[in-house]
Amino acid sequence: MATAKTRTVALGQPTLGEPEIEAIRAVFESGWVSGAGPTCVAFEQEFAAAMGTSHALSTSNCGSALHLAIQVLGAGPGDEVIVADYTFPATGHAVVWTGASPVFADVRADIGTIDTASVEALITPRTVGIIAVDLVGQPADYDELRLIADKNSLWLVEDAACSAGAFYRGRPAGSLADLATFSFHGRKGITSGEGGALVGSDDALMERARKLHTYGIAPAVSREGSTSLAVPSFAEIGYNYRLSDVQAAIMRVQLQRLPDLVANRSTAARGYGERLADLDGIHLPVVLEDRTHPWQSYLVTTADDVDRDKVVMALRERGVGSNFGTYASHLQPVYGAQQDCPVSARLFRTQLALPMHANLVEDDLDWVATQLRDVLASGEVRR
């Protein structure tokens, strides 16, 4: 099915420009470029307000934010944490880093977020918490999860890696659980290349997380202006999970861009829906009426008679960025998981990501739709 590439549409693409460059220049001129400095403080205040929480802590990535969340909420050897199965394995890894064991729950067939019935069935005396994942940004069922968590005295974490700009029943992603974590990786809706954040409104939890994220002491910026020599002491082992002030400068601009970026992605998603609604061989993504999707990715699901892997490779040959959706974590050998998650396993086999970013234009959408139609019309991708 090889065909000449006449144009290329990237799977993902950041929206960065002169405002970010100017923000970096200001940090360079300030002389404070390392982590957890004044620019990080400013970004954290702005990000917390945008996410509807009292506190935000900028981190090196979403994985480190997850690790901090689980650590301060309480999990360790012998404990179990129920984790949404259909997710990048950083979610399960963060549980393992604490010494606890991830127990993977199956997901909803329509939107791929954690299935509440599966959660309830997996609770044991060893269970201490639940981590829901907002699949490519669409929030999970947090009201129902909150009831389950409270009934069983469990904590609840929102893995909002892809969710900046999303809403659930009128509430912003990040404010939906005890703690929430975000990613600023290059393919996310807002980005500094790498980075993340932990957000929450519990003063004690966030204060402890802040110390753990800087080796176990308060960050140096907190000692600026002291009239005496402040020598911190180390009471517990912490980590170097800081975001640099250079990255924080980028994120301050990206946060200002967020409404426009979500609007552009939403326009692209509607455009795909209009162009692909009648296409035989794929199912379009479902968006529930009580939540707002920020469209970090656009995932379609192939029909049973379509070989997803062949579709991805054929699209790439035609210059259309494409990939599988995400991982069925319980199938990854590193975990040795005992759970059976058939819905997640099926999505892992059948979902594919089409180009999605805020820079897409109508011609890009036309090109992607045309190439996907041609690929599916070919008998080479049919079983």
Side-chain angles (χ1 to χ4, degrees):
M1 192 190 294
T3 185
K5 294 182 185 178
T6 59
R7 64 181 298 171
T8 299
V9 182
L11 177 62
Q13 187 179 85
T15 303
L16 299 164
E18 192 61 32
E20 284 84 1
I21 293 171
E22 287 300 317
I24 293 170
R25 182 175 290 112
V27 170
F28 285 178
E29 292 172 353
S30 77
W32 193 312
V33 299
S34 59
T39 307
C40 280
V41 171
F43 167 65
E44 289 167 353
Q45 293 170 345
E46 294 159 0
F47 193 71
M51 301 305 119
T53 60
S54 300
H55 304 281
L57 175 63
S58 54
T59 62
S60 53
N61 51 57
C62 188
S64 58
L66 279 166
H67 184 204
L68 290 172
I70 301 166
Q71 191 92 341
V72 300
L73 286 165
D79 293 332
E80 294 178 347
V81 177
I82 297 173
V83 178
D85 188 68
Y86 195 49
T87 177
F88 186 77
T91 316
H93 281 23
V95 175
V96 175
W97 293 338
T98 69
S101 299
V103 177
F104 296 106
D106 211 353
V107 297
R108 293 179 54 151
D110 54 354
I111 64 171
T113 59
I114 196 166
D115 179 75
T116 55
S118 179
V119 170
E120 290 193 286
L122 292 170
I123 295 173
T124 74
R126 296 174 60 190
T127 307
V128 296
I130 304 165
I131 305 178
V133 176
D134 302 338
L135 181 67
V136 299
Q138 183 165 201
D141 300 307
Y142 286 98
D143 285 351
E144 294 83 350
L145 290 166
R146 180 81 272 166
L147 290 173
I148 294 169
D150 289 348
K151 183 176 75 171
N152 294 278
S153 300
L154 307 176
W155 48 255
L156 176 63
V157 166
E158 177 186 6
D159 183 339
C162 304
S163 306
F167 287 83
Y168 169 79
R169 298 178 178 173
R171 310 194 305 272
S175 67
L176 307 174
D178 297 314
L179 294 172
T181 64
F182 290 85
S183 172
F184 306 141
H185 178 268
R187 279 208 50 213
K188 299 302 187 287
I190 49 177
T191 180
S192 51
E194 288 286 356
L198 172 68
V199 302
S201 293
D202 186 296
D203 295 347
L205 290 175
M206 292 300 295
E207 181 181 0
R208 181 160 181 248
R210 187 171 294 279
K211 287 185 177 180
L212 286 175
H213 119 298
T214 309
Y215 290 111
I217 59 174
V221 70
S222 67
R223 300 186 290 278
E224 283 286 291
S226 175
T227 57
S228 60
L229 180 60
V231 182
S233 61
F234 293 80
E236 63 180 321
I237 297 294
Y239 315 95
N240 182 5
Y241 282 168
R242 295 169 295 187
L243 189 77
S244 77
D245 267 34
V246 175
Q247 293 169 297
I250 297 170
M251 289 310 306
R252 294 187 72 189
V253 178
Q254 287 281 289
L255 187 58
Q256 293 172 6
R257 291 185 187 266
L258 179 59
D260 289 340
L261 296 177
V262 172
N264 290 352
R265 287 170 176 264
S266 298
T267 297
R270 286 193 298 272
Y272 276 138
E274 293 165 359
R275 291 164 172 80
L276 302 175
D278 64 339
L279 184 54
D280 176 57
I282 63 163
H283 305 289
L284 298 183
V286 172
V287 182
L288 301 186
E289 292 183 358
D290 63 351
R291 53 208 81 182
T292 302
H293 201 317
W295 299 107
Q296 181 271 333
S297 293
Y298 191 87
L299 302 184
V300 300
T301 307
T302 54
D304 291 341
D305 65 336
V306 173
D307 186 318
R308 186 274 314 274
D309 293 8
K310 289 183 178 180
V311 174
V312 169
M313 298 312 295
L315 287 173
R316 289 179 178 180
E317 288 178 358
R318 294 164 175 258
V320 175
S322 182
N323 209 344
F324 63 96
T326 192
Y327 291 86
S329 295
H330 77 288
L331 297 179
Q332 302 311 307
V334 67
Y335 297 121
Q338 302 302 310
Q339 292 78 50
D340 182 24
C341 300
V343 176
S344 177
R346 183 171 68 253
L347 294 176
F348 182 43
R349 292 193 306 270
T350 60
Q351 284 202 321
L352 69 93
L354 295 177
M356 174 52 72
H357 49 83
N359 307 324
L360 291 169
V361 297
E362 294 290 319
D363 285 350
D364 295 326
L365 302 178
D366 289 341
W367 176 257
V368 173
T370 298
Q371 300 314 307
L372 182 56
R373 283 184 179 277
D374 288 350
V375 167
L376 290 172
S378 166
E380 295 180 32
V381 301
R382 300 283 177 165
R383 299 185 191 278

